[in-house]
Amino acid sequence: MRPSRSHSDVTSAVPPDVVARHGLTQEEYGQILAHLGRAPNLTELGMFSVMWSEHCSYKSSRVHLKRFPTEGERVVQGPGENAGAVEIGDGLSAVFKMESHNHPSFIEPFQGAATGVGGILRDIFTMGARPVALLDSLRFGDPDVPADRHRLEGAVSGIAWYGNCVGVPTVGGELVCHEMYARNPLVNVFCLGLARTGRLLRGAAKGVGNPVLYIGAKTGRDGIHGATMASDSFDDAAEQKRPNVQVGDPFLEKLLLEACLEFLELDLLAGIQDLGAGGLTSASCEMASRAGTGIELELADMPRREPRMTPYELMLSESQERMLLVANAGREARVIEICGKWGVDAAVIGRVTDDGTVRIREEGRVAAEIPVRALTDDCPRYERPAAPPAWQDMLQSFAADSLPDVTDAGDVLLRLLASPAIAGKRYLWRQYDHMVGINTLVRPGSDAAVVRVKGTNRALAMTTDGNGRYCLLNPYMGGMLAVAEAARNVVCAGARPIGVTDCLNFGNPERPDVMWQLTMAIEGIADACRAFGVPVVSGNVSLYNETGGLSIYPTPVIGMVGLIEPADLVMTQWFQRAGDRIILLGETGDDLGGTEYLNVVHHRELGAPPWLTLETEKAVQECVLRLAAERRVRSAHDCSDGGLAVAVAECCFGPSAGEGRPVGATIQIDAKKLRLDAALFGESPSRVVLSVAPDHAARVLAVAEECGVPAEDVGCVGGEDLVIRVRGRAGGLSGESDREDAAVHVPVATLFETWSRSLERKLGAGRA
């Protein structure tokens, strides 16, 4: 160690502008001096920079994340590892996580999104699980704007390219387009894998004296300070940060995946960690921290693809497709042999020590020497000021009664079906191979994707959900609604929710209003998960999604996994047979605030979002699961964006109806003195549209009554039109049976054409 110096001697050792360029404050630099008792050299400063970045340390959110419920009877691994795991029976666990790659996807959409897929795949197989499914949750700007269209198409192409090449199906996801995401798009990627419960691997540097190995791609200069970039706001020069974006190689990732799973089968490893954000620095420090050990590395032995790379560059590079392993003593030669078989570079670059220090050498010379705890456990923790913005009450005080009611509900329905948030996404999904591995039971487009668990009679449903507009208006309620919709989606697939992962996408946490949004959303998510008995087992926080002082809408995204047992209980959202009865579970209220209807028709994003009662939501979900177990339901679809009218229209569009042709429906509802727009397009939660065989309708209504759930037989599947009659509406007629008095009477083929082609027309405009 270098001799200690006084604080006055060392503050000038690293100029303030260099400290600032590393994303550190002068106060944080003072803490570094206290930890080391001396000035850091440039390599050490870089290591502190990435480990103390928001992206790696969660220094603004960690104290609040403790509110999440993380334990449960199925939980095998909770937060703190590369991914979470829940037990699903037959000695197997579902291993899953969601991560963000937001900042890189703005700068370089294709590689930013592609390497996001690569990173989340490594998080899963690092745990010893074979990835079986990918989902994505995307937020981009207006597809009518060429730059926004370019970013969206680039990101989708990157996701498709990487997943397809590796051979993991992308089975679903969601897309929202809004101008607030134009300069800060969100690319959140979810991955689920399967592993034997007793054979999960952890990212811990266990076993003093055990060899440390580097395997995978050679290290280059790409991605240096990627984690620091992801922890900063953008300005007009953001696109100049392209060198901070990593470059992916999915073919090498596939080889790396197979090699790592072979290590597991042969019990060769004591620990394993992906070299993701923060590169070798993050992997080495986190592994040592989890095990309470130290680690010593020799950089001269690292495979590299560029000459004369400095220790600073080697420690901070975020080149993709790399792993750090701790092999069991004496097994390193076998690890290297297996890597050779798969064509993967491998080298012993260090060993586990017992002194709690991460020590970096280059040709024997010490290049960095830092206590592990200083980089991990003792990094800064902030309880930042939080307060609602001055305009919050104004947003919520808006009353929809001040706007005119619907006069042409059919036209409004067509406009909603053309909105990118609701329109069919087949134009994007068809780029994905969603059947590779032949485990996909429900393809993209239904409420939740479903994959079978081979060798068992079980299946897993999964979804991603979130609504930034709800969270803008009421972040606590928005957080709860995201969990409720995700749970409702997997329930509508016939699955019982068993675990949650999340991606919390927010603006600059140094702003009290953003910090208030974050803390309130966390509270809402925590309360909903606790009420539903679903633990949060993994997740990610992405802050500083802000450009030029303008933040994104607060956007927590929930990834939910559910278990279907037995697998043949799986359901989809699409009507199956003409003549089936349509039953609506739940009640429609006066919930127009924050709706897609207000946004599309009235260009307003105001009001109180739909109000969720957790007890009601639980009752509806239990009712659906009970009916599914009794095999009383042919289809189930939740009401969400666009309300009841959109939900019923979407039920008509399924591939199961008439071999791909849409099928019609006729329903009649009681508005109970609501406005017509609220009855048709309000987004009251805790509602599900069921279709059932006629001889099961009475039993379905009886079960709903036993569960304490309002239910009504509202109509019938069949015909070529969607007909919706509304009786008892405020200021309306009773709704006779003729065409003129139906609130909606539109050929389903017209609705389907609008819904299925709208996004394609927008994105295809750039190629015309």
Side-chain angles (χ1 to χ4, degrees):
M1 298 283 286
R2 298 179 184 84
S4 299
R5 310 175 193 175
S6 70
H7 189 279
S8 60
D9 289 335
V10 297
T11 39
S12 61
V14 179
D17 63 319
V18 175
V19 173
R21 284 202 301 272
H22 281 75
L24 296 164
T25 67
Q26 283 299 310
E27 180 182 354
E28 288 170 343
Y29 180 65
Q31 294 178 47
I32 293 171
L33 299 177
H35 281 301
L36 296 180
R38 55 176 173 79
N41 61 35
L42 189 61
T43 300
E44 292 168 332
L45 185 70
M47 293 171 68
F48 274 106
S49 171
V50 297
M51 292 305 296
W52 285 15
S53 69
E54 192 73 59
H55 191 76
C56 290
S57 72
Y58 291 5
K59 58 190 176 185
S60 297
S61 60
R62 189 179 294 263
V63 295
H64 304 289
L65 297 175
K66 294 177 181 178
R67 300 171 189 173
F68 285 154
T70 59
E71 297 179 350
E73 61 181 17
R74 292 186 179 272
V75 175
V76 177
Q77 177 62 60
E81 266 292 343
N82 292 296
V86 293
E87 188 269 335
I88 61 171
D90 290 322
L92 296 173
S93 288
V95 180
F96 56 94
K97 189 182 182 183
M98 186 158 50
E99 279 277 4
S100 63
H101 234 221
N102 302 338
H103 286 58
S105 298
F106 171 72
I107 297 168
E108 214 303 305
F110 182 91
Q111 287 294 349
T115 52
V117 174
I120 196 65
L121 285 168
R122 291 192 297 277
D123 282 340
I124 300 306
F125 69 75
T126 293
M127 297 289 294
R130 179 172 292 278
V132 297
L134 290 161
L135 298 173
D136 55 65
S137 178
L138 309 178
R139 304 290 187 278
F140 280 84
D142 186 349
D144 290 324
V145 176
D148 295 337
R149 185 165 60 242
H150 163 75
R151 292 189 183 102
L152 171 57
E153 292 197 307
V156 170
S157 296
I159 291 167
W161 172 71
Y162 208 102
N164 293 354
C165 291
V166 173
V168 178
T170 301
V171 294
E174 59 167 356
L175 167 67
V176 173
C177 294
H178 192 285
E179 62 184 356
M180 295 303 294
Y181 302 102
R183 301 283 286 174
N184 286 97
L186 305 183
V187 175
N188 295 176
V189 186
F190 167 102
C191 186
L192 179 141
L194 295 171
R196 282 180 283 173
T197 299
R199 299 293 300 277
L200 288 175
L201 291 171
R202 266 72 174 190
K206 295 184 293 186
V208 174
N210 277 344
V212 177
L213 291 91
Y214 169 111
I215 71 169
K218 293 179 172 65
T219 297
R221 291 188 170 93
D222 52 320
I224 292 175
H225 273 300
T228 308
M229 175 197 69
S231 306
D232 196 8
S233 300
F234 279 166
D235 55 27
D236 291 337
E239 292 182 341
Q240 298 175 12
K241 298 182 179 182
R242 186 166 280 109
N244 295 130
V245 179
Q246 309 93 327
V247 178
D249 181 350
F251 301 105
L252 178 56
E253 178 107 339
K254 172 63 173 175
L255 300 175
L256 193 62
L257 183 160
E258 298 299 341
C260 288
L261 294 181
E262 189 167 342
F263 302 152
L264 171 68
E265 290 300 317
L266 298 175
D267 196 24
L268 301 179
L269 303 183
I272 181 171
Q273 177 87 356
D274 166 35
L275 270 68
L280 186 58
T281 293
S282 178
S284 58
C285 297
E286 290 179 358
M287 291 184 79
S289 175
R290 291 187 187 114
T293 58
I295 197 165
E296 183 170 293
L297 304 177
E298 173 53 74
L299 299 182
D301 298 327
M302 272 183 68
R304 61 191 80 184
R305 65 171 184 263
E306 299 183 43
R308 296 183 295 279
M309 290 188 70
T310 66
Y312 181 97
E313 293 170 328
L314 291 167
M315 292 303 297
L316 272 61
S317 169
E318 294 183 11
S319 295
Q320 295 290 284
E321 292 85 40
R322 304 179 303 157
M323 312 288 282
L324 195 67
L325 316 180
V326 175
N328 291 318
R331 308 306 300 275
E332 60 268 32
R334 184 71 173 118
V335 170
I336 293 173
E337 178 187 347
I338 291 170
C339 287
K341 182 183 79 172
W342 289 103
V344 173
D345 282 319
V348 176
I349 65 167
R351 63 185 180 90
V352 178
T353 64
D354 62 358
D355 61 0
T357 298
V358 57
R359 186 172 295 104
I360 310 302
R361 299 182 184 273
E362 185 183 36
E363 296 181 346
R365 180 184 63 84
V366 174
E369 197 168 37
I370 306 173
V372 170
R373 288 187 60 89
L375 292 165
T376 55
D377 304 78
D378 295 337
C379 73
R381 296 282 186 272
Y382 296 124
E383 292 200 47
R384 298 190 185 277
W391 37 260
Q392 193 69 37
D393 289 342
M394 180 273 292
L395 283 180
Q396 294 186 1
S397 64
F398 171 79
D401 289 344
S402 63
L403 298 173
D405 200 351
V406 168
T407 57
D408 187 343
D411 178 68
V412 169
L413 177 56
L414 286 166
R415 292 172 65 183
L416 286 171
L417 292 173
S419 167
I422 294 174
K425 310 301 190 297
R426 183 176 178 273
Y427 180 72
L428 304 179
W429 290 334
R430 68 187 182 190
Q431 299 182 48
Y432 305 148
D433 186 342
H434 46 262
M435 292 301 294
V436 62
I438 61 170
N439 293 318
T440 308
L441 294 178
V442 177
R443 304 179 187 186
S446 195
D447 282 332
V450 180
V451 296
R452 69 167 54 86
V453 181
K454 277 186 177 175
T456 76
N457 194 24
R458 295 175 172 84
L460 293 169
M462 64 207 80
T463 186
T464 57
D465 288 288
N467 190 311
R469 191 159 54 234
Y470 288 172
C471 287
L472 173 73
L473 300 175
N474 185 328
Y476 174 79
M477 185 58 63
M480 285 210 303
L481 285 164
V483 176
E485 183 176 353
R488 204 180 318 127
N489 280 336
V490 299
V491 164
C492 284
R496 181 170 294 279
I498 58 173
V500 162
T501 184
D502 60 63
C503 236
L504 306 180
N505 307 278
F506 288 79
N508 184 345
E510 297 168 45
R511 289 173 40 185
D513 60 316
V514 171
M515 202 63 216
W516 175 77
Q517 292 170 338
L518 174 63
T519 57
M520 294 303 293
I522 288 173
E523 289 276 10
I525 293 169
D527 285 351
C529 287
R530 199 170 287 110
F532 299 147
V534 186
V536 179
V537 297
S538 61
N540 173 70
V541 179
S542 175
L543 303 180
Y544 294 96
N545 291 287
E546 175 181 287
T547 296
L550 183 64
S551 289
I552 62 165
Y553 281 173
T555 312
V557 176
I558 299 298
M560 182 83 73
V561 174
L563 179 64
I564 305 175
E565 189 178 20
D568 64 355
L569 292 179
V570 64
M571 300 186 298
T572 61
Q573 70 182 41
W574 303 299
F575 292 148
Q576 303 290 314
R577 295 184 187 179
D580 280 351
R581 303 306 301 173
I582 301 170
I583 293 177
L584 175 63
L585 301 181
E587 279 193 298
T588 301
D590 191 9
D591 290 302
L592 285 174
T595 59
E596 189 69 9
Y597 161 75
L598 274 190
N599 179 43
V600 169
V601 176
H602 296 290
H603 312 291
R604 307 290 180 91
E605 296 180 293
L606 299 167
W611 191 264
L612 175 71
T613 302
L614 292 171
E615 292 75 15
T616 301
E617 181 69 41
K618 286 175 61 179
V620 169
Q621 292 183 23
E622 286 297 328
C623 179
V624 174
L625 289 172
R626 181 173 165 185
L627 291 169
E630 292 186 12
R631 303 180 187 274
R632 304 284 182 179
V633 178
R634 290 211 211 273
S635 71
H637 183 29
D638 84 309
C639 293
S640 55
D641 293 344
L644 177 62
V646 166
V648 175
E650 289 173 335
C651 292
C652 295
F653 297 159
S656 301
E659 298 181 349
R661 296 193 309 273
V663 62
T666 299
I667 69 170
Q668 180 170 296
I669 60 173
D670 185 351
K672 300 178 181 177
K673 302 304 179 182
L674 294 174
R675 288 162 49 114
L676 182 59
D677 52 7
L680 293 179
F681 309 116
E683 295 175 5
S684 300
S686 311
R687 294 183 297 165
V688 174
V689 176
L690 304 177
S691 70
V692 306
D695 56 348
H696 288 325
R699 174 59 182 165
V700 168
L701 294 172
V703 170
E705 184 176 6
E706 291 171 12
C707 294
V709 173
E712 184 180 1
D713 185 332
V714 296
C716 182
V717 177
E720 297 183 352
D721 299 342
L722 174 60
V723 181
I724 304 178
R725 299 188 178 93
V726 182
R727 63 179 183 270
R729 65 181 188 260
L733 302 174
S734 60
E736 289 82 5
S737 61
D738 56 280
R739 172 187 292 265
E740 288 72 23
D741 285 332
V744 173
H745 193 141
V746 184
V748 173
T750 301
L751 298 172
F752 181 75
E753 170 71 12
T754 299
W755 174 83
S756 63
R757 296 293 302 279
S758 173
L759 193 60
E760 180 175 357
R761 290 190 184 104
K762 288 176 179 293
L763 296 177
R767 303 190 184 96

